[in-house]
Tab-separated table of all heavy atoms in Angstrom:
chain	number	residue	atom	x	y	z
A	16	GLY	N	-2.697	25.665	-45.173
A	16	GLY	CA	-3.534	25.663	-43.977
A	16	GLY	C	-2.806	26.091	-42.721
A	16	GLY	O	-3.273	25.836	-41.611
A	17	ILE	N	-1.680	26.758	-42.887
A	17	ILE	CA	-0.887	27.202	-41.742
A	17	ILE	C	-1.355	28.594	-41.322
A	17	ILE	O	-1.510	29.483	-42.158
A	17	ILE	CB	0.617	27.213	-42.074
A	17	ILE	CG1	1.067	25.828	-42.526
A	17	ILE	CG2	1.435	27.693	-40.885
A	17	ILE	CD1	2.479	25.782	-43.082
A	18	GLU	N	-1.572	28.774	-40.019
A	18	GLU	CA	-2.006	30.059	-39.467
A	18	GLU	C	-0.961	31.141	-39.770
A	18	GLU	O	0.238	30.858	-39.808
A	18	GLU	CB	-2.179	29.947	-37.949
A	18	GLU	CG	-3.167	28.892	-37.500
A	18	GLU	CD	-4.608	29.323	-37.665
A	18	GLU	OE1	-4.884	30.532	-37.609
A	18	GLU	OE2	-5.463	28.447	-37.865
A	19	PRO	N	-1.418	32.395	-39.943
A	19	PRO	CA	-0.491	33.489	-40.270
A	19	PRO	C	0.672	33.642	-39.291
A	19	PRO	O	1.808	33.873	-39.712
A	19	PRO	CB	-1.386	34.725	-40.262
A	19	PRO	CG	-2.750	34.196	-40.606
A	19	PRO	CD	-2.816	32.829	-39.974
A	20	LYS	N	0.416	33.487	-37.980
A	20	LYS	CA	1.497	33.641	-37.004
A	20	LYS	C	2.590	32.592	-37.235
A	20	LYS	O	3.777	32.904	-37.198
A	20	LYS	CB	0.953	33.538	-35.580
A	20	LYS	CG	2.019	33.744	-34.516
A	20	LYS	CD	1.439	33.744	-33.123
A	20	LYS	CE	2.542	34.000	-32.106
A	20	LYS	NZ	2.037	34.101	-30.744
A	21	LEU	N	2.180	31.361	-37.492
A	21	LEU	CA	3.160	30.308	-37.770
A	21	LEU	C	3.870	30.544	-39.096
A	21	LEU	O	5.067	30.276	-39.213
A	21	LEU	CB	2.480	28.938	-37.790
A	21	LEU	CG	2.584	28.096	-36.525
A	21	LEU	CD1	1.838	26.783	-36.681
A	21	LEU	CD2	3.995	27.860	-36.092
A	22	LEU	N	3.140	31.040	-40.081
A	22	LEU	CA	3.777	31.366	-41.366
A	22	LEU	C	4.883	32.395	-41.169
A	22	LEU	O	5.962	32.269	-41.761
A	22	LEU	CB	2.742	31.895	-42.367
A	22	LEU	CG	1.864	30.857	-43.050
A	22	LEU	CD1	0.776	31.541	-43.868
A	22	LEU	CD2	2.683	29.926	-43.921
A	24	ILE	N	6.620	32.894	-38.412
A	24	ILE	CA	7.727	32.239	-37.709
A	24	ILE	C	8.555	31.418	-38.695
A	24	ILE	O	9.785	31.485	-38.693
A	24	ILE	CB	7.182	31.354	-36.561
A	24	ILE	CG1	6.555	32.230	-35.471
A	24	ILE	CG2	8.289	30.481	-35.984
A	24	ILE	CD1	5.713	31.465	-34.459
A	44	ILE	N	-1.998	16.331	-41.969
A	44	ILE	CA	-1.823	16.324	-40.516
A	44	ILE	C	-2.553	17.510	-39.900
A	44	ILE	O	-3.128	17.398	-38.816
A	44	ILE	CB	-0.330	16.322	-40.143
A	44	ILE	CG1	0.338	15.047	-40.673
A	44	ILE	CG2	-0.135	16.432	-38.638
A	44	ILE	CD1	1.848	15.048	-40.590
A	45	GLY	N	-2.569	18.632	-40.598
A	45	GLY	CA	-3.282	19.809	-40.113
A	45	GLY	C	-4.764	19.559	-39.915
A	45	GLY	O	-5.399	20.179	-39.060
A	64	PHE	N	5.805	17.015	-40.086
A	64	PHE	CA	4.822	16.662	-39.061
A	64	PHE	C	4.775	17.696	-37.946
A	64	PHE	O	3.742	17.910	-37.326
A	64	PHE	CB	5.039	15.244	-38.503
A	64	PHE	CG	6.312	15.020	-37.710
A	64	PHE	CD1	6.457	15.485	-36.416
A	64	PHE	CD2	7.348	14.283	-38.251
A	64	PHE	CE1	7.608	15.252	-35.683
A	64	PHE	CE2	8.514	14.027	-37.529
A	64	PHE	CZ	8.637	14.524	-36.238
A	65	GLY	N	5.887	18.376	-37.702
A	65	GLY	CA	5.961	19.311	-36.584
A	65	GLY	C	5.115	20.558	-36.729
A	65	GLY	O	4.433	20.973	-35.780
A	66	ILE	N	5.142	21.175	-37.892
A	66	ILE	CA	4.383	22.419	-38.090
A	66	ILE	C	2.885	22.208	-37.849
A	66	ILE	O	2.284	22.929	-37.043
A	66	ILE	CB	4.660	23.021	-39.485
A	66	ILE	CG1	6.094	23.559	-39.553
A	66	ILE	CG2	3.651	24.126	-39.816
A	66	ILE	CD1	6.559	23.918	-40.962
A	67	PRO	N	2.248	21.239	-38.504
A	67	PRO	CA	0.806	21.090	-38.265
A	67	PRO	C	0.478	20.607	-36.852
A	67	PRO	O	-0.552	20.991	-36.292
A	67	PRO	CB	0.367	20.075	-39.324
A	67	PRO	CG	1.601	19.359	-39.725
A	67	PRO	CD	2.729	20.335	-39.548
A	68	ILE	N	1.359	19.805	-36.249
A	68	ILE	CA	1.106	19.353	-34.878
A	68	ILE	C	1.183	20.522	-33.914
A	68	ILE	O	0.318	20.682	-33.044
A	68	ILE	CB	2.086	18.220	-34.494
A	68	ILE	CG1	1.671	16.929	-35.192
A	68	ILE	CG2	2.132	18.034	-32.981
A	68	ILE	CD1	2.663	15.798	-35.051
A	69	LEU	N	2.198	21.357	-34.043
A	69	LEU	CA	2.311	22.526	-33.169
A	69	LEU	C	1.103	23.441	-33.334
A	69	LEU	O	0.566	23.968	-32.352
A	69	LEU	CB	3.618	23.274	-33.441
A	69	LEU	CG	4.894	22.546	-33.008
A	69	LEU	CD1	6.122	23.269	-33.545
A	69	LEU	CD2	4.955	22.397	-31.498
A	70	GLN	N	0.657	23.614	-34.560
A	70	GLN	CA	-0.515	24.458	-34.806
A	70	GLN	C	-1.745	23.865	-34.109
A	70	GLN	O	-2.511	24.585	-33.472
A	70	GLN	CB	-0.766	24.599	-36.308
A	70	GLN	CG	-1.992	25.434	-36.631
A	70	GLN	CD	-2.050	25.808	-38.080
A	70	GLN	OE1	-1.249	26.619	-38.534
A	70	GLN	NE2	-2.985	25.232	-38.811
A	71	ARG	N	-1.935	22.553	-34.227
A	71	ARG	CA	-3.093	21.898	-33.600
A	71	ARG	C	-3.006	21.978	-32.075
A	71	ARG	O	-4.011	22.198	-31.406
A	71	ARG	CB	-3.221	20.461	-34.070
A	71	ARG	CG	-3.672	20.371	-35.530
A	71	ARG	CD	-3.946	18.952	-35.967
A	71	ARG	NE	-5.052	18.349	-35.259
A	71	ARG	CZ	-6.347	18.572	-35.526
A	71	ARG	NH1	-6.691	19.407	-36.486
A	71	ARG	NH2	-7.282	17.970	-34.823
A	72	LEU	N	-1.816	21.799	-31.510
A	72	LEU	CA	-1.664	21.881	-30.062
A	72	LEU	C	-1.965	23.285	-29.550
A	72	LEU	O	-2.582	23.452	-28.495
A	72	LEU	CB	-0.248	21.465	-29.642
A	72	LEU	CG	0.087	19.986	-29.770
A	72	LEU	CD1	1.575	19.751	-29.491
A	72	LEU	CD2	-0.774	19.136	-28.859
A	73	ALA	N	-1.526	24.299	-30.289
A	73	ALA	CA	-1.796	25.679	-29.885
A	73	ALA	C	-3.296	25.976	-29.929
A	73	ALA	O	-3.815	26.713	-29.099
A	73	ALA	CB	-1.027	26.650	-30.779
A	74	LYS	N	-3.975	25.377	-30.875
A	74	LYS	CA	-5.399	25.664	-31.075
A	74	LYS	C	-6.310	24.801	-30.206
A	74	LYS	O	-7.270	25.303	-29.619
A	74	LYS	CB	-5.739	25.459	-32.557
A	74	LYS	CG	-7.115	25.912	-32.946
A	74	LYS	CD	-7.285	25.842	-34.458
A	74	LYS	CE	-8.628	26.397	-34.885
A	74	LYS	NZ	-8.767	26.393	-36.347
A	75	TYR	N	-6.021	23.518	-30.132
A	75	TYR	CA	-6.939	22.578	-29.477
A	75	TYR	C	-6.443	22.044	-28.136
A	75	TYR	O	-7.116	21.236	-27.513
A	75	TYR	CB	-7.227	21.395	-30.407
A	75	TYR	CG	-7.859	21.798	-31.700
A	75	TYR	CD1	-7.171	21.665	-32.898
A	75	TYR	CD2	-9.145	22.334	-31.735
A	75	TYR	CE1	-7.746	22.031	-34.102
A	75	TYR	CE2	-9.730	22.713	-32.935
A	75	TYR	CZ	-9.023	22.557	-34.117
A	75	TYR	OH	-9.588	22.925	-35.296
A	76	LYS	N	-5.241	22.427	-27.719
A	76	LYS	CA	-4.630	21.957	-26.471
A	76	LYS	C	-4.298	20.465	-26.562
A	76	LYS	O	-4.288	19.895	-27.624
A	76	LYS	CB	-5.518	22.272	-25.268
A	76	LYS	CG	-5.905	23.744	-25.160
A	76	LYS	CD	-4.691	24.623	-25.076
A	76	LYS	CE	-5.099	26.093	-25.060
A	76	LYS	NZ	-4.094	26.920	-25.665
A	77	GLY	N	-4.024	19.862	-25.426
A	77	GLY	CA	-3.610	18.467	-25.410
A	77	GLY	C	-2.098	18.344	-25.527
A	77	GLY	O	-1.361	19.317	-25.378
A	78	ARG	N	-1.664	17.119	-25.786
A	78	ARG	CA	-0.242	16.824	-25.889
A	78	ARG	C	0.019	15.953	-27.107
A	78	ARG	O	-0.873	15.267	-27.597
A	78	ARG	CB	0.236	16.061	-24.655
A	78	ARG	CG	0.221	16.876	-23.391
A	78	ARG	CD	0.574	16.016	-22.218
A	78	ARG	NE	1.519	16.719	-21.370
A	78	ARG	CZ	1.952	16.262	-20.215
A	78	ARG	NH1	1.571	15.079	-19.781
A	78	ARG	NH2	2.791	16.955	-19.498
A	79	CYS	N	1.277	15.966	-27.539
A	79	CYS	CA	1.709	15.093	-28.622
A	79	CYS	C	2.918	14.311	-28.135
A	79	CYS	O	3.820	14.869	-27.512
A	79	CYS	CB	2.086	15.899	-29.857
A	79	CYS	SG	2.652	14.850	-31.222
A	96	LEU	N	11.938	21.597	-33.322
A	96	LEU	CA	10.573	21.988	-32.974
A	96	LEU	C	10.499	22.978	-31.816
A	96	LEU	O	9.569	23.775	-31.750
A	96	LEU	CB	9.735	20.747	-32.667
A	96	LEU	CG	9.584	19.766	-33.825
A	96	LEU	CD1	8.684	18.607	-33.428
A	96	LEU	CD2	9.065	20.458	-35.076
A	99	ILE	N	10.187	26.745	-32.726
A	99	ILE	CA	8.844	27.185	-33.123
A	99	ILE	C	7.902	27.109	-31.927
A	99	ILE	O	7.119	28.033	-31.689
A	99	ILE	CB	8.309	26.329	-34.294
A	99	ILE	CG1	9.223	26.483	-35.515
A	99	ILE	CG2	6.874	26.721	-34.640
A	99	ILE	CD1	8.919	25.514	-36.643
A	100	ALA	N	7.979	26.035	-31.155
A	100	ALA	CA	7.079	25.833	-30.018
A	100	ALA	C	7.148	27.003	-29.036
A	100	ALA	O	6.110	27.507	-28.590
A	100	ALA	CB	7.407	24.519	-29.314
A	101	GLN	N	8.348	27.433	-28.702
A	101	GLN	CA	8.508	28.529	-27.743
A	101	GLN	C	7.849	29.813	-28.235
A	101	GLN	O	7.296	30.568	-27.442
A	101	GLN	CB	9.989	28.785	-27.462
A	101	GLN	CG	10.628	27.699	-26.643
A	101	GLN	CD	12.113	27.932	-26.428
A	101	GLN	OE1	12.799	28.518	-27.276
A	101	GLN	NE2	12.622	27.460	-25.310
A	102	LYS	N	7.884	30.041	-29.524
A	102	LYS	CA	7.313	31.270	-30.080
A	102	LYS	C	5.787	31.279	-30.037
A	102	LYS	O	5.165	32.320	-30.200
A	102	LYS	CB	7.808	31.490	-31.509
A	102	LYS	CG	9.310	31.769	-31.582
A	102	LYS	CD	9.761	31.984	-33.001
A	102	LYS	CE	11.251	32.151	-33.114
A	102	LYS	NZ	11.825	33.256	-32.401
A	103	ILE	N	5.174	30.086	-29.829
A	103	ILE	CA	3.715	30.024	-29.709
A	103	ILE	C	3.313	29.499	-28.323
A	103	ILE	O	2.238	28.939	-28.133
A	103	ILE	CB	3.065	29.201	-30.846
A	103	ILE	CG1	3.650	27.796	-30.931
A	103	ILE	CG2	3.202	29.933	-32.175
A	103	ILE	CD1	2.948	26.893	-31.939
A	104	ASN	N	4.224	29.702	-27.353
A	104	ASN	CA	3.980	29.384	-25.947
A	104	ASN	C	3.686	27.910	-25.682
A	104	ASN	O	2.836	27.573	-24.850
A	104	ASN	CB	2.858	30.270	-25.378
A	104	ASN	CG	3.218	31.736	-25.434
A	104	ASN	OD1	4.332	32.111	-25.085
A	104	ASN	ND2	2.302	32.551	-25.907
A	105	LEU	N	4.374	27.036	-26.372
A	105	LEU	CA	4.289	25.611	-26.108
A	105	LEU	C	5.633	25.128	-25.579
A	105	LEU	O	6.678	25.663	-25.953
A	105	LEU	CB	3.929	24.837	-27.388
A	105	LEU	CG	2.585	25.143	-28.032
A	105	LEU	CD1	2.422	24.374	-29.336
A	105	LEU	CD2	1.434	24.839	-27.086
A	106	LYS	N	5.576	24.127	-24.716
A	106	LYS	CA	6.797	23.601	-24.111
A	106	LYS	C	7.092	22.192	-24.643
A	106	LYS	O	6.175	21.454	-24.973
A	106	LYS	CB	6.643	23.544	-22.583
A	106	LYS	CG	6.501	24.927	-21.943
A	106	LYS	CD	6.280	24.854	-20.457
A	106	LYS	CE	4.958	24.315	-20.010
A	106	LYS	NZ	3.760	24.989	-20.368
A	107	THR	N	8.379	21.866	-24.677
A	107	THR	CA	8.825	20.541	-25.105
A	107	THR	C	9.620	19.894	-23.980
A	107	THR	O	10.177	20.589	-23.121
A	107	THR	CB	9.708	20.615	-26.372
A	107	THR	OG1	10.947	21.253	-26.039
A	107	THR	CG2	9.020	21.370	-27.503
A	126	ARG	N	4.253	20.463	-17.413
A	126	ARG	CA	3.197	20.028	-18.323
A	126	ARG	C	3.471	20.409	-19.782
A	126	ARG	O	2.689	21.105	-20.425
A	126	ARG	CB	1.841	20.558	-17.873
A	126	ARG	CG	1.518	20.131	-16.441
A	126	ARG	CD	0.098	20.291	-16.011
A	126	ARG	NE	-0.926	19.977	-16.959
A	126	ARG	CZ	-1.326	18.754	-17.299
A	126	ARG	NH1	-0.758	17.713	-16.771
A	126	ARG	NH2	-2.292	18.574	-18.172
A	127	PRO	N	4.592	19.926	-20.328
A	127	PRO	CA	4.906	20.241	-21.729
A	127	PRO	C	3.890	19.621	-22.677
A	127	PRO	O	3.372	18.527	-22.422
A	127	PRO	CB	6.289	19.625	-21.921
A	127	PRO	CG	6.332	18.509	-20.924
A	127	PRO	CD	5.552	19.003	-19.738
A	128	GLU	N	3.622	20.341	-23.741
A	128	GLU	CA	2.671	19.857	-24.743
A	128	GLU	C	3.310	18.854	-25.699
A	128	GLU	O	2.624	18.024	-26.270
A	128	GLU	CB	2.113	21.039	-25.547
A	128	GLU	CG	1.225	21.967	-24.763
A	128	GLU	CD	1.970	23.038	-23.964
A	128	GLU	OE1	3.227	23.121	-24.053
A	128	GLU	OE2	1.307	23.789	-23.233
A	129	LEU	N	4.599	18.956	-25.883
A	129	LEU	CA	5.319	18.097	-26.828
A	129	LEU	C	6.306	17.225	-26.049
A	129	LEU	O	7.210	17.743	-25.402
A	129	LEU	CB	6.057	18.980	-27.833
A	129	LEU	CG	6.378	18.427	-29.198
A	129	LEU	CD1	5.127	17.958	-29.916
A	129	LEU	CD2	7.085	19.474	-30.033
A	150	GLU	N	-3.665	12.758	-21.839
A	150	GLU	CA	-3.923	13.972	-22.622
A	150	GLU	C	-3.276	13.955	-24.002
A	150	GLU	O	-3.351	14.933	-24.733
A	150	GLU	CB	-3.448	15.203	-21.848
A	150	GLU	CG	-4.249	15.452	-20.587
A	150	GLU	CD	-3.737	16.654	-19.807
A	150	GLU	OE1	-2.672	17.198	-20.148
A	150	GLU	OE2	-4.418	17.055	-18.851
A	152	LYS	N	-3.018	13.630	-27.654
A	152	LYS	CA	-3.984	13.694	-28.752
A	152	LYS	C	-3.390	13.215	-30.070
A	152	LYS	O	-4.114	12.944	-31.004
A	152	LYS	CB	-4.485	15.139	-28.938
A	152	LYS	CG	-5.096	15.754	-27.711
A	152	LYS	CD	-6.438	15.171	-27.410
A	152	LYS	CE	-7.074	15.952	-26.279
A	152	LYS	NZ	-7.932	15.141	-25.464
A	153	CYS	N	-2.052	13.182	-30.141
A	153	CYS	CA	-1.425	12.706	-31.377
A	153	CYS	C	-0.145	11.952	-31.042
A	153	CYS	O	0.498	12.202	-30.021
A	153	CYS	CB	-1.160	13.856	-32.348
A	153	CYS	SG	0.123	14.979	-31.840
Side-chain angles (χ1 to χ4, degrees):
I17 303 171
E18 302 283 332
K20 182 176 182 176
L21 261 179
L22 282 173
I24 293 167
I44 298 169
F64 66 76
I66 290 168
I68 285 172
L69 291 170
Q70 179 168 290
R71 289 186 64 79
L72 289 173
K74 189 172 184 177
Y75 300 113
K76 306 302 176 210
R78 292 175 136 175
C79 179
L96 298 183
I99 299 171
Q101 289 177 329
K102 294 180 185 300
I103 55 174
N104 299 315
L105 298 176
K106 295 177 290 298
T107 68
R126 303 195 39 77
E128 292 84 3
L129 206 57
E150 294 178 351
K152 304 287 187 211
C153 70

